[in-house]
Amino acid sequence: MVYNYQTSGSGQLPMETVRTFFPETWIWQLTEVGDSGSAQVPVTVPDTITSWETEAFCLSSKGLGLAPPAQLTVFQPFFLELSLPYSIIRGEIFELKATVFNYLSKCIMVKVTPAPSLDYTLKASSDDQYSSCLCANGRKTFKWILTPSVLGLLNITVSAEAEASQTVCDNEIVSVPERGRIDTVTRSLLVQAEGTEKTETYSWLLCPKSDSLSEEVDLTLPKDVIEGSARSSVSVIGDILGRALRNLDGLLQMPYGCGEQNMAILSPNIYILQYLENTE
């Protein structure tokens, strides 16, 4: 998590937590433990408010070692959570939801503000209330109507701030936490083009006889192509089986059913093994 400090003539301004890193899985790495059998690995905890379960195993010339699972909880008493789908279609009506959680021991007055952007427009929802009392162990959801104006990946940023107020919430004056008063979350949303996707692939087997070799191709787009949706890519692989090797997980199969089915399904596994052995 990133903490920003700002100062002014009157002293220190509220500390802001900026959270942008939300992986589905975390820590995939190899570490040498040496003769001691242990090692320290410094890592940065992701910004997701959740519990992580870690597992580790060790390989050596004398055998295999397994470590018991351990849990690590990432938590802060006041935080914001955005509810986003993986992707939407351009032109769809999408309701952006931001939920604020208060695990502090006292009530707070929370204000939620989305950051302006040229990539999308936000329209206030029906309730149109973006400041609210939030007492201990409470949660509150705020909503907007989001309309994207571009295709591709766009970032959505929303901030929640615990404000100073004389408002009485649940028979008590709201408090302001000393640290972590502002929580800012940035999440990504993929905006896809409307219509039906169509892909055309061109392949060449090139055998250069000198240092350079060129190949030209004309890319003709359909007349009814949706504006802004066309894209192209080029990949060069120096191995006739290179493309297949980049997708081995799709070629390897698990056995099931009767013997005849297994013989047909498992034959690629044998070819893959022979190729890897011959090429080391």
Side-chain angles (χ1 to χ4, degrees):
M1 299 180 183
V2 180
Y3 297 96
N4 293 333
Y5 294 87
Q6 294 177 322
T7 58
S8 64
S10 59
Q12 196 177 72
L13 294 180
M15 185 172 62
E16 178 180 7
T17 305
V18 181
R19 299 188 289 128
T20 59
F21 183 47
F22 303 96
E24 294 292 335
T25 59
W26 175 46
I27 308 181
W28 294 89
Q29 65 186 70
L30 298 175
T31 302
E32 292 187 5
V33 297
D35 296 336
S36 64
S38 64
Q40 291 186 353
V41 182
V43 294
T44 300
V45 179
D47 294 327
T48 310
I49 306 297
T50 187
S51 293
W52 296 91
E53 185 172 280
T54 63
E55 296 179 351
F57 65 92
C58 183
L59 295 174
S60 71
S61 58
K62 297 182 179 179
L64 169 69
L66 294 175
Q71 278 200 343
L72 172 66
T73 300
V74 182
F75 186 74
Q76 61 187 44
F78 168 64
F79 65 94
L80 171 73
E81 183 177 88
L82 292 182
S83 298
L84 295 175
Y86 170 73
S87 65
I88 62 174
I89 304 298
R90 181 174 58 180
E92 286 185 339
I93 296 177
F94 166 64
E95 188 174 57
L96 173 65
K97 296 180 180 180
T99 303
V100 182
F101 298 83
N102 177 25
Y103 290 99
L104 298 167
S105 59
K106 297 182 178 180
C107 296
I108 60 175
M109 175 61 70
V110 62
K111 179 181 179 181
V112 180
T113 307
S117 175
L118 299 176
D119 295 337
Y120 57 84
T121 58
L122 288 175
K123 180 181 178 182
S125 187
S126 57
D127 50 13
D128 198 18
Q129 296 290 329
Y130 298 106
S131 293
S132 175
C133 287
L134 196 59
C135 289
N137 297 317
R139 66 179 66 187
K140 176 73 174 180
T141 299
F142 303 86
K143 303 176 183 179
W144 299 265
I145 302 300
L146 185 146
T147 304
S149 55
V150 298
L151 292 176
L153 203 64
L154 57 86
N155 291 326
I156 300 174
T157 300
V158 181
S159 296
E161 179 179 1
E163 296 183 309
S165 175
Q166 297 300 317
T167 304
V168 176
C169 296
D170 199 17
N171 297 323
E172 65 176 82
I173 298 295
V174 298
S175 64
V176 178
E178 294 182 0
R179 54 178 300 169
R181 286 178 53 183
I182 305 175
D183 186 31
T184 299
V185 175
T186 299
R187 299 294 297 263
S188 297
L189 176 66
L190 178 62
V191 181
Q192 298 178 329
E194 60 274 25
T196 303
E197 183 176 0
K198 180 181 179 182
T199 303
E200 293 189 5
T201 303
Y202 302 90
S203 299
W204 301 272
L205 178 61
L206 305 177
C207 299
K209 296 181 181 180
S210 58
D211 294 338
S212 63
L213 180 67
S214 63
E215 185 77 20
E216 295 184 2
V217 61
D218 293 329
L219 300 179
T220 304
L221 297 178
K223 294 181 180 180
D224 57 350
V225 65
I226 296 176
E227 183 179 357
S229 65
R231 61 186 185 273
S232 63
S233 62
V234 177
S235 63
V236 180
I237 302 175
D239 187 335
I240 194 172
L241 290 180
R243 188 173 298 279
L245 290 178
R246 292 167 63 180
N247 297 278
L248 281 182
D249 58 330
L251 293 176
L252 293 172
Q253 300 289 332
M254 290 291 291
Y256 69 92
C258 62
E260 291 83 354
Q261 292 173 325
N262 283 332
M263 285 188 290
I265 289 176
L266 296 182
S267 58
N269 297 2
I270 306 302
Y271 302 145
I272 293 171
L273 177 61
Q274 292 176 347
Y275 175 81
L276 294 177
E277 289 178 339
N278 291 330
T279 59
E280 298 183 354

